[in-house]
Amino acid sequence: MLTVGLVGARGHTGKELIAILSRRSDMRLVFASSRAMAGEPVSNLAPAARDGLIFEAMGPEDVAARGADAVILALPNGEAAPYVAAIEAAAPGTILVDLSADYRFDGSWTYGLPELYGRERLKGAARISNPGCYATAGQLCVHPVRDLLSGPAHLFGVSGYSGAGTTPSRKNDVEALRDNLMPYSLTGHMHEREMSRHLAHEVRFSPHVAAFFRGITLTAQLNFAAPVMLEAVKSRYARAYGGEKLIRLSDAIPEIRDGQDIPGAVIGGWSVGEGGRNATLVCALDNLLKGAAVQAVQNLALAAGLEELGGIA
């Protein structure tokens, strides 16, 4: 039984993590840290949580002292470092999975997107950076054909407002989003840099948020160095993802609702332009699941030598 602690449990992703962990027989959530909900039963947020589990207000040293086999950090960007430092000082053997962007550019951490960068490299990993939600969708779109591309991949993404977290902002203000599509971070978005780094290929990314709660749709426009036939493009994705239980390929164009509330991703709608020099495809996934909680549990299970998809699929 792998004992797991969760820091930042109050957020949307925390709720999904609690639910997934509760469905596993080989993992046990032993603490859930949230200052805002301290003293309340965890089941108030996530009904699937086991009886008797109470939210606690825990600082970095408190978390390190609890001795869990693994800790999942579901904190906003910029807040993970004190917890990492405390755990490395007191319990360096603890497996850490960080859902923020804080360690996605740190070569000493293992970047965990199992379908693309291999499961073997995650086995025994003790420091795992979880990919971003948009970055997961974008890399799934680009990776199978990245060696064919002649220039940057252009990605247009739209996310539900849960992606903006629980701290009030214009990006999760339902009134501001009503009858609206809100572009943001027009250049240099963190996920643009993340995708470019891990794909080893330049990406241009335009993020938007809309007035639905959860889900992502991402449209990839790709230019090829030499003409490519439609069937050749589709066969690249079939070879890459044909054996992946969480990735579904579809001739139809995936829409937001196709990716909502499912543990994986839908990729499809392939269209090759006249002359075979460019193609467009779409990925839909749930930003709280494959874009966050599902991927974190996949990564943790692989690191610990457990069944990857327990409680997931």
Side-chain angles (χ1 to χ4, degrees), residues 111-152:
Y111 186 74
L113 210 171
E115 291 85 356
L116 296 187
Y117 303 120
R119 291 167 169 87
E120 286 298 320
R121 62 197 294 274
L122 282 159
K123 291 182 178 179
R127 303 290 180 265
I128 302 165
S129 58
N130 219 56
C133 50
Y134 277 131
T136 295
Q139 288 175 92
L140 289 173
C141 282
V142 176
H143 193 274
V145 294
R146 62 180 175 167
D147 61 312
L148 303 178
L149 301 181
S150 63

Side-chain angles (χ1 to χ4, degrees), residues 154-195:
H154 292 267
L155 309 178
F156 180 95
V158 182
S159 172
Y161 61 85
S162 61
T166 56
T167 301
S169 73
R170 194 162 182 269
K171 289 189 293 183
N172 56 24
D173 182 338
V174 177
E175 288 305 314
L177 291 168
R178 190 182 304 278
D179 299 322
N180 195 13
L181 180 66
M182 191 180 295
Y184 64 97
S185 297
L186 299 183
T187 59
H189 188 282
M190 173 178 30
H191 288 168
E192 180 178 274
R193 291 184 285 113
E194 177 185 346
M195 288 184 276

Side-chain angles (χ1 to χ4, degrees), residues 17-53:
L17 282 163
I18 294 165
I20 295 170
L21 292 170
S22 73
R23 295 193 293 267
R24 293 196 65 121
S25 60
D26 54 1
M27 295 183 185
R28 181 178 177 84
L29 184 63
V30 292
F31 67 81
S33 175
S34 169
R35 288 186 172 86
M37 298 188 72
E40 297 183 34
V42 174
S43 58
N44 285 359
L45 177 71
R50 62 180 175 83
D51 292 341
L53 193 61

Side-chain angles (χ1 to χ4, degrees), residues 101-107 129 190 193-195 197-198:
D102 294 4
Y103 296 95
R104 293 176 194 157
F105 301 88
D106 186 331
S129 58
M190 173 178 30
R193 291 184 285 113
E194 177 185 346
M195 288 184 276
R197 172 187 172 89
H198 292 287

